[in-house]
Amino acid sequence: MFFNAMKRKGWKPKEEDMEVVVAIHNTVNERVWEHILHWEELHKSECCEPQLSRFEGRPKDYSPRARMLNWLGYKLPFDRHDWVVDRCGEKVRYVIDFYNAPPSGPEPVAMHLDVRPALDSFGACYDRFRMFAYQALGLAGSSAAQDSSGGGLKEQQQNQ
């Protein structure tokens, strides 16, 4: 199934590589969810168990941040997903940009994840501002601020 989906998207996967590809895909999705949960820490008092409602791959629909970074000379992400989280009845959309990164260490491939709430509501804008403030000012009180970087969460995920 995953093999056929990759082919439909224009990739040229090899069947013998699929076990490793699926394992990497699952690991990356788990890391994305961890980042979303860090953002959701900002709302722990309102909802202690957010759930993934749905997601959508949008590989050629670049986010405004990705376009802005591209104008500044950075490469475009190789993929984008929008994940919708059910925050105890409130639907919240997150944007995830997936970037290739130069190898670091002995692993041959690295990936950067840029995970953040979509700027489609006042609450999302406020969350992005709060996360920035927690990071920039080093404010205590949010475990979300401890593991994030910049205005969004970036994580290097290396293939095994």
Side-chain angles (χ1 to χ4, degrees), residues 124-144:
C125 295
Y126 184 59
D127 285 352
R128 299 237 326 233
F129 175 78
R130 284 196 305 166
M131 187 64 79
F132 174 78
Y134 286 139
Q135 295 161 350
L137 302 175
L139 297 174
S142 172
S143 62

Side-chain angles (χ1 to χ4, degrees), residues 87-101:
R87 185 185 295 149
C88 297
E90 179 186 0
K91 301 293 187 196
V92 181
R93 185 169 62 97
Y94 284 85
V95 175
I96 302 96
D97 287 324
F98 298 82
Y99 292 92
N100 285 321

Side-chain angles (χ1 to χ4, degrees), residues 15-39:
E15 271 191 79
E16 60 270 16
D17 295 338
M18 291 313 297
E19 186 175 332
V20 172
V21 169
V22 169
I24 291 168
H25 184 267
N26 290 342
T27 300
V28 170
N29 283 342
E30 289 170 13
R31 297 297 295 161
V32 168
W33 184 245
E34 288 175 18
H35 290 311
I36 288 173
L37 290 178
H38 286 300
W39 282 98

